[in-house]
Amino acid sequence: MEAAVLAVVLFIGVALWSSSSSPAAAAAGTKEELEDGDDQRGEVTYDGRALIVNGTRVMLFSGEIHYARSTPEMWPKLIAKAKNGGIDVIQTYVFWNVHEPIQGQYNFEGRYDLVKFIREIQAQGLYVSLRIGPFVEAEWKYGGFPFWLHDVPSITFRSDNEPFKQHMQNFVTKIVTMMKHEGLYYPQGGPIIISQIENEYQMIEPAFGASGPRYVRWAAAMAVGLQTGVPWMMCKQNDAPDPVINTCNGLICGETFVGPNSPNKPALWTENWTSRYPIYGNDTKLRAPEDIAFAVALFIARKKGSFVSYYMYHGGTNFGRFAASYVTTSYYDGAPLDEYGLIWQPTWGHLRELHCAVKQSSEPLLFGSYSNFSLGQQQEHNTPKVEFRNISLELAPKSISVLSDCRNVVFETAKVNAQHGSRTANAVQSLNDINNWKAFIEPVSQDLSKSTYTGNQLFEQLTTTKDETDYLWYIVSYKNRASDGNQIARLYVKSLAHILHAFVNNEYVGSVHGSHDGPRNIVLNTHMSLKEGDNTISLLSVMVGSPDSGAYMERRTFGIQTVGIQQGQQPMHLLNNDLWGYQTTFSTPPGNDAVTLNLTSMGKGEVWVNGESIGRYWVSFKAPSGQPSQSLYHIPRGFLTPKDNLLVLVEEMGGDPLQITVNTMSVTTVCGNVDEFSVPPLQSRGKVPKVRIWCQGGKRISSIEFASYGNPVGDCRSFRIGSCHAESSESVVKQSCIGRRGCSIPVMAAKFGGDPCPGIQKSLLVVADCSNADLAPLPPSLPGARRARRSLSLVVVAAAAFGRGTRAVGHTDSSVIAELPLRGGKGRPVFESACREDSGWTTAAAAAAGLAFPRLLHGRVPLVWLNL
């Protein structure tokens, strides 16, 4: 099929499904049977169509959020925003090296409190997919393995090797036992419905010969033998032994996945990459929401997929030294929730609409028969317009349209109606007062008597440092005799580290660094000036992360390999360059916006705030665009105190600390662009397309930058009025939106005083600014306040009828304020968060505004909408 007109129509409707005639439905049970069941939970099982939870198949959308790449203070909002985006499952790796950094000494505190993280997920009514590994890769230091494992005698990682298997089994058993003790597996009343053992082992399995398959069989049997009551999976492992499910990772598993290796296993997609993790020296690569949505719909249509997990759903931060080789401190910043936890639009909103469209017809997808209809070769190749059952459809290139009842288009993957948004880093504090800085210098190491190790060999770097520091000094003394002639020499150094700085007699003579995709070895070949007699050559070898993947990882070597001196070369200009440290204090910016440090003026090093490392920085390594790969560094508010926050930097390449600024990050511009023939999102429950925009973080719409109903030219990034324009556009939008947290404007001529240009297809493009606003409490005597409180209490009573565990939750930076209940008495989620309308909401004002009213979703879920 021609790529330019590639279009797939996914028809979903009751015509394709009948519960009475489906053998699979009879075997797996129906929703109605589930509602009539008792409170007893069974094990989570599966069949060839889906995971089976409490007796019925489930269509699940999952989002990867790493507890170690965020903070406990961030977890509730991250999970709430994921739920509001239509996510049913939170998926996470378990990071062995944060939990057992020293053999036998465990750490499950702070941002490593795995139980607390899972309990927060449970409290918000979502499931958990627990990827125990314990090898995770994940662009994480040493693939998640603790470095002490490297020093275990006779060990070979990830193979049929007894020392490795013993330690792996000990850790996996430790985690499973902890989860059981806390009652976190689904049959115990907990949220964990599936676990993962190993990770993408198929990529390296051939390197181990016959030992590889034996290891796979052992790992599967070991995991299943722990009897968790939930299935186990192996991702990218086509030979996963029964009953372990083989799953897919990748960009487009609808094309690349070979499928389950048994007809009795479902098609699960454990990693749908929402972006590409950034590396130093490269520009950021984002993935279009249209492409993500197309891949999801294709997987469901072509592979009968019933579980899709977005990797990552929250971008996260590689705090400290946990990033793998050359990986930036910022991780998947282009995920639906960015590094700071802000909603990344339009990705979040577009996927939310997809989730709602799929879930609306989940029963035919899970219990019905799949059928393929040819639309005719001429239609498929020559035109985006097709005819199906006397319906004329226009299809965008590379698009999947979801039809309800085989007639009504409810979603198109290539048509984004969700709002757009853009972030702003606002400098709120400059650290340019030299009197507030303290500087300290680590002198170039020259004294051989103070060396930790001495010998006549070059030591391997990670073995020497135990990966507890990025830095290792190599020092050698070289005697230059007068009879040797010229005092100018050439220094040649070959290294398998990532950066090398060279000093001769305390004078800087040169540096060299590698890159993620370049050769493994780096070479410094530079002039140096020698004095007569003893000369001290000091070489600072630097790692920018440890490896995270590959066969025989424990055998990988790093550090300086060869040092040679050749005399007789011409001199060069020498620079003085020491390893500098800087220290100052700063106050915490007011408000709730994310806090960052702008380190554009610095070189390469690491930065700490109040003793917490917020990661490595390397702004001097420019991407092809000429910009640093990362210049803003996230400081979670949980790391901060109200004032006198201690900032410490270790800088190895120079830089100017006086140019550092403290910034806040927020979404300051929102935009909607919808045409009059767009399909209204299912959340709206309306028939008229609307532009919907809303501000995050308690901000309000403060101004309208652009508004045009007609045929505006451009998009949310670049725009201007076209040949058709309603003069009332700006006034109508201002009246609807200014001062509110969110608004919606129908895309219809009547709203703008009539049709400004009959016969022309029209759209509405709105660009608005968001800013903070002090919210004055509304007076309790406002008309309708008493009625609102009465409605709220009635909904609470209705929720109580659903059983235990109900509670109200408030979110002032998303769409809904009160959700009742979060979990039904039978322990299952009963709230379909994907099908709610985007708007701006507030807790304080709604009770007095008289606008609270109960609404049922799917006929059974009480909900309070608080609309301003």
Side-chain angles (χ1 to χ4, degrees):
M1 188 176 295
E2 296 292 334
V5 294
L6 174 63
V8 181
V9 185
L10 172 61
F11 297 99
I12 304 174
V14 293
L16 299 181
W17 173 76
S18 169
S19 61
S20 60
S21 62
S22 170
T30 65
K31 283 188 176 182
E32 288 72 20
E33 291 171 348
L34 175 59
E35 296 297 329
D36 295 335
D38 56 30
D39 285 349
Q40 183 63 39
R41 280 187 174 192
E43 293 188 348
V44 179
T45 59
Y46 61 82
D47 62 11
R49 294 292 286 272
L51 294 177
I52 298 173
V53 181
N54 219 19
T56 192
R57 295 172 181 157
V58 286
M59 176 71 68
L60 297 171
F61 292 103
S62 170
E64 189 108 5
I65 299 176
H66 292 162
Y67 56 97
R69 283 180 161 129
S70 50
T71 65
E73 294 81 9
M74 297 171 68
W75 295 343
K77 285 188 177 181
L78 292 175
I79 295 164
K81 291 175 182 178
K83 180 179 180 179
N84 196 17
I87 293 299
D88 311 287
V89 182
I90 301 299
Q91 182 166 276
T92 185
Y93 280 124
V94 178
F95 299 92
W96 188 357
N97 54 9
V98 306
H99 294 305
E100 194 181 5
I102 300 173
Q103 186 174 357
Q105 298 182 23
Y106 294 95
N107 180 8
F108 290 94
E109 299 178 354
R111 65 175 180 271
Y112 307 144
D113 192 339
L114 177 60
V115 169
K116 182 177 180 179
F117 179 66
I118 294 176
R119 289 211 180 280
E120 181 60 41
I121 298 169
Q122 181 181 25
Q124 298 204 37
L126 301 183
Y127 297 128
V128 171
S129 171
L130 194 65
R131 309 177 76 184
I132 299 177
F135 174 79
V136 299
E137 189 170 342
E139 295 71 55
W140 189 261
K141 174 181 177 179
Y142 222 48
F145 286 161
F147 193 78
W148 57 259
L149 203 64
H150 169 277
D151 295 332
V152 172
S154 304
I155 197 166
T156 301
F157 292 173
R158 305 174 71 195
S159 68
D160 187 25
N161 171 266
E162 290 305 321
F164 176 76
K165 292 193 297 183
Q166 176 186 343
H167 288 289
M168 173 176 168
Q169 183 169 3
N170 288 345
F171 181 73
V172 173
T173 303
K174 170 83 174 178
I175 297 299
V176 169
T177 302
M178 178 185 294
M179 298 301 105
K180 286 183 177 180
H181 177 75
E182 298 290 339
L184 295 177
Y185 285 106
Y186 183 82
Q188 300 175 288
I192 302 174
I193 60 170
I194 192 167
S195 298
Q196 179 179 312
I197 193 72
E198 249 298 333
N199 187 52
E200 297 187 347
Y201 185 71
Q202 181 175 295
M203 308 281 287
I204 65 169
E205 185 174 352
F208 294 98
S211 174
R214 289 199 305 269
Y215 167 67
V216 171
R217 292 191 295 269
W218 170 84
M222 182 269 291
V224 172
L226 294 173
Q227 299 181 346
T228 61
V230 304
W232 287 87
M233 59 185 175
M234 285 181 169
C235 65
K236 270 192 177 179
Q237 193 65 43
N238 296 338
D239 63 349
D242 292 341
V244 176
I245 305 168
N246 63 300
T247 71
C248 184
N249 287 0
L251 284 170
I252 188 159
C253 282
E255 294 181 359
T256 60
F257 187 37
V258 298
N261 61 19
S262 164
N264 299 319
K265 296 179 183 180
L268 310 182
W269 190 354
T270 35
E271 289 188 14
N272 180 8
W273 302 328
T274 56
S275 183
R276 290 297 294 169
Y277 61 88
I279 56 178
Y280 290 115
N282 282 16
D283 290 306
T284 300
K285 297 178 181 178
L286 300 178
R287 190 178 180 191
E290 300 95 320
D291 187 55
I292 303 173
F294 176 84
V296 173
L298 185 65
F299 180 70
I300 294 171
R302 182 176 288 176
K303 301 295 182 180
K304 301 181 182 179
S306 56
F307 179 101
V308 176
S309 189
Y310 300 103
Y311 190 98
M312 299 285 295
Y313 197 81
H314 166 235
T317 304
N318 292 313
F319 298 114
R321 300 174 50 257
F322 282 105
S325 299
Y326 294 106
V327 175
T328 63
T329 296
S330 175
Y331 195 40
Y332 270 69
D333 191 35
L337 303 178
D338 69 11
E339 178 184 5
Y340 315 104
L342 297 171
I343 291 174
W344 185 271
Q345 295 281 36
T347 301
W348 182 89
H350 193 53
L351 295 179
R352 181 177 188 254
E353 293 179 13
L354 168 65
H355 302 156
C356 190
V358 171
K359 287 178 181 179
Q360 184 193 53
S361 298
S362 60
E363 290 193 27
L365 286 170
L366 293 172
F367 299 100
S369 299
Y370 278 67
S371 300
N372 293 319
F373 300 90
S374 173
L375 301 177
Q377 184 175 4
Q378 184 174 358
Q379 294 186 99
E380 293 175 355
H381 283 271
N382 298 327
T383 175
K385 292 185 178 180
V386 298
E387 296 290 331
F388 174 75
R389 294 186 178 181
N390 298 320
I391 305 171
S392 180
L393 299 170
E394 286 194 14
L395 302 178
K398 192 181 178 182
S399 179
I400 294 179
S401 295
V402 181
L403 276 67
S404 177
D405 302 326
C406 290
R407 297 191 62 84
N408 301 310
V409 177
V410 295
F411 182 79
E412 298 174 74
T413 62
K415 196 164 189 178
V416 178
N417 292 322
Q419 79 169 35
H420 292 64
S422 59
R423 300 181 309 192
T424 299
N426 181 35
V428 296
Q429 191 175 162
S430 177
L431 306 182
N432 59 0
D433 187 348
I434 193 171
N435 296 314
N436 290 335
W437 281 96
K438 295 180 180 179
F440 51 92
I441 303 174
E442 177 180 332
V444 175
S445 295
Q446 298 188 86
D447 190 345
L448 290 173
S449 66
K450 296 181 179 180
S451 298
T452 305
Y453 299 93
T454 58
N456 58 358
Q457 62 178 342
L458 293 166
F459 293 96
E460 197 279 326
Q461 183 154 346
L462 293 188
T463 303
T464 305
T465 64
K466 307 301 180 186
D467 203 14
E468 294 178 357
T469 175
D470 289 345
Y471 303 100
L472 181 63
W473 283 103
Y474 292 81
I475 310 165
V476 63
S477 179
Y478 176 76
K479 182 178 290 291
N480 180 42
R481 298 183 298 270
S483 59
D484 291 335
N486 200 323
Q487 303 303 302
I488 301 302
R490 179 167 293 276
L491 175 66
Y492 175 88
V493 184
K494 180 180 178 181
S495 175
L496 292 177
H498 300 143
I499 303 174
L500 177 68
H501 304 291
F503 303 84
V504 176
N505 299 325
N506 205 30
E507 293 292 314
Y508 171 75
V509 297
S511 294
V512 66
H513 67 78
S515 63
H516 183 272
D517 299 319
R520 272 209 65 200
N521 62 293
I522 56 176
V523 175
L524 177 67
N525 194 345
T526 187
H527 298 98
M528 62 179 178
S529 179
L530 299 176
K531 65 182 181 181
E532 185 175 346
D534 291 333
N535 294 262
T536 301
I537 300 172
S538 303
L539 305 173
L540 180 58
S541 179
V542 185
M543 296 289 294
V544 188
S546 54
D548 68 334
S549 61
Y552 302 105
M553 198 167 63
E554 73 284 352
R555 302 180 188 178
R556 297 275 296 275
T557 58
F558 297 90
I560 294 175
Q561 305 295 300
T562 304
V563 179
I565 296 174
Q566 181 181 6
Q567 293 185 260
Q569 301 298 317
Q570 297 300 312
M572 64 179 293
H573 181 63
L574 299 178
L575 302 174
N576 187 16
N577 191 57
D578 296 307
L579 194 61
W580 282 84
Y582 300 100
Q583 173 183 316
T584 190
T585 59
F586 65 95
S587 298
T588 298
N592 298 315
D593 291 340
V595 181
T596 70
L597 275 182
N598 188 332
L599 299 179
T600 305
S601 64
M602 301 305 291
K604 160 75 176 64
E606 188 172 352
V607 57
W608 290 261
V609 174
N610 294 329
E612 294 277 1
S613 172
I614 64 171
R616 301 182 183 95
Y617 63 88
W618 195 0
V619 293
S620 62
F621 189 2
K622 299 297 193 291
S625 64
Q627 299 299 314
S629 300
Q630 181 182 353
S631 56
L632 298 174
Y633 289 78
H634 182 207
I635 311 174
R637 284 188 174 266
F639 288 3
L640 299 172
T641 58
K643 59 181 181 179
D644 295 331
N645 295 285
L646 180 62
L647 171 66
V648 176
L649 301 96
V650 171
E651 169 61 53
E652 64 188 74
M653 291 185 174
D656 182 3
L658 298 181
Q659 302 302 314
I660 295 174
T661 59
V662 179
N663 292 25
T664 56
M665 179 71 77
S666 62
V667 175
T668 54
T669 303
V670 294
C671 170
N673 187 10
V674 178
D675 68 56
E676 59 186 345
F677 296 113
S678 293
V679 178
L682 291 171
Q683 300 97 313
S684 69
R685 298 181 177 271
K687 297 183 178 180
V688 177
K690 298 179 180 179
V691 166
R692 293 176 173 83
I693 55 175
W694 51 276
C695 299
Q696 300 185 45
K699 291 178 170 55
R700 292 183 183 272
I701 298 172
S702 56
S703 63
I704 302 300
E705 185 177 341
F706 179 85
S708 178
Y709 173 71
N711 62 351
V713 178
D715 53 28
C716 288
R717 293 177 295 273
S718 175
F719 40 81
R720 60 182 173 85
I721 292 174
S723 60
C724 172
H725 170 69
E727 294 298 330
S728 62
S729 299
E730 185 173 346
S731 61
V732 168
V733 172
K734 283 185 175 180
Q735 184 177 5
S736 299
C737 301
I738 294 294
R740 297 177 179 269
R741 289 189 173 155
C743 61
S744 61
I745 308 102
V747 186
M748 55 188 303
K751 182 69 175 177
F752 296 91
D755 193 336
C757 38
I760 296 179
Q761 179 176 327
K762 285 164 284 295
S763 62
L764 175 60
L765 174 59
V766 176
V767 181
D769 297 322
C770 298
S771 63
N772 288 313
D774 294 330
L775 303 180
L778 294 179
S781 59
L782 207 81
R786 180 176 298 177
R787 183 172 67 255
R789 286 192 292 271
R790 184 162 57 248
S791 298
L792 195 59
S793 64
L794 287 173
V795 176
V796 173
V797 172
F802 277 77
R804 302 179 299 276
T806 60
R807 75 172 188 175
V809 174
H811 306 304
T812 58
D813 56 354
S814 55
S815 61
V816 70
I817 290 301
E819 304 166 2
L820 307 167
L822 289 175
R823 182 169 289 277
K826 298 182 177 66
R828 60 185 178 275
V830 296
F831 183 68
E832 295 288 349
S833 60
C835 299
R836 296 178 295 182
E837 182 173 9
D838 288 338
S839 288
W841 314 92
T842 181
T843 306
L851 295 172
F853 58 94
R855 177 173 292 190
L856 296 180
L857 289 180
H858 304 288
R860 62 193 178 98
V861 182
L863 175 68
V864 181
W865 289 58
L866 307 176
N867 190 357
L868 292 182

